[in-house]
Amino acid sequence: ILQSKVWQAIMALLITLNAIVIGLETDIPAFRFWDLVEDVFLFAFAVELMLRLWVLGIRQFFAYTNADIWWNIFDCAVVGVGVGDALLTAIVSSSSGSFATLFRMIRLLRMVRLFRLLKYCKQLYLLAFGFI
């Protein structure tokens, strides 16, 4: 299921929606539910990561023979930073401006995952990497 085109499309949609929300969060900072919206996205990404870890097992997930090892490490880092940000925000209860900006920029790195998802759409993958 995790390798199906439907699942990958759902994840691509979540990543895109998350990027839009981050942009809106910058443009409309007065909206008081941004933290809740971000936590929902973080939860979805964390569940997806845990599912992939569970299905593959930790050894296969981080195996050098796994073609997606660097994406897996990237996903762990981005989700880990997101969880750290959520915990830090919960403990401190008000993020410092510079740290909040740093964590927002790191959350934007989730968009890089869209390139990973392109490999499931062969023509888009060839088009995207044909320019490089």
Side-chain angles (χ1 to χ4, degrees), residues 58-70 72-73:
I58 196 159
R59 282 187 179 197
Q60 179 60 30
F61 190 81
F62 290 114
Y64 282 108
T65 56
N66 185 343
D68 289 332
I69 184 174
W70 298 112
N72 293 343
I73 291 169

Side-chain angles (χ1 to χ4, degrees), residues 18 23-24 31 34-35 50 53 78 87 90 94 96 98 124 129:
N18 187 225
L24 289 173
F31 184 66
W34 288 131
D35 289 337
M50 288 186 289
L53 269 165
V78 171
L87 291 173
S94 65
S96 167
S98 61
L124 289 176
F129 287 98

Side-chain angles (χ1 to χ4, degrees), residues 117-130:
L117 300 177
L118 284 179
K119 75 178 182 181
Y120 294 100
C121 302
K122 189 77 169 168
Q123 288 109 359
L124 289 176
Y125 179 80
L126 292 174
L127 178 67
F129 287 98

Side-chain angles (χ1 to χ4, degrees), residues 35-78:
D35 289 337
L36 176 63
V37 173
E38 273 298 328
D39 288 344
V40 169
F41 280 112
L42 179 59
F43 178 77
F45 293 131
V47 166
E48 189 253 350
L49 181 64
M50 288 186 289
L51 283 172
R52 286 191 295 127
L53 269 165
W54 180 65
V55 167
L56 290 175
I58 196 159
R59 282 187 179 197
Q60 179 60 30
F61 190 81
F62 290 114
Y64 282 108
T65 56
N66 185 343
D68 289 332
I69 184 174
W70 298 112
W71 286 114
N72 293 343
I73 291 169
F74 175 79
D75 289 345
C76 286
V78 171

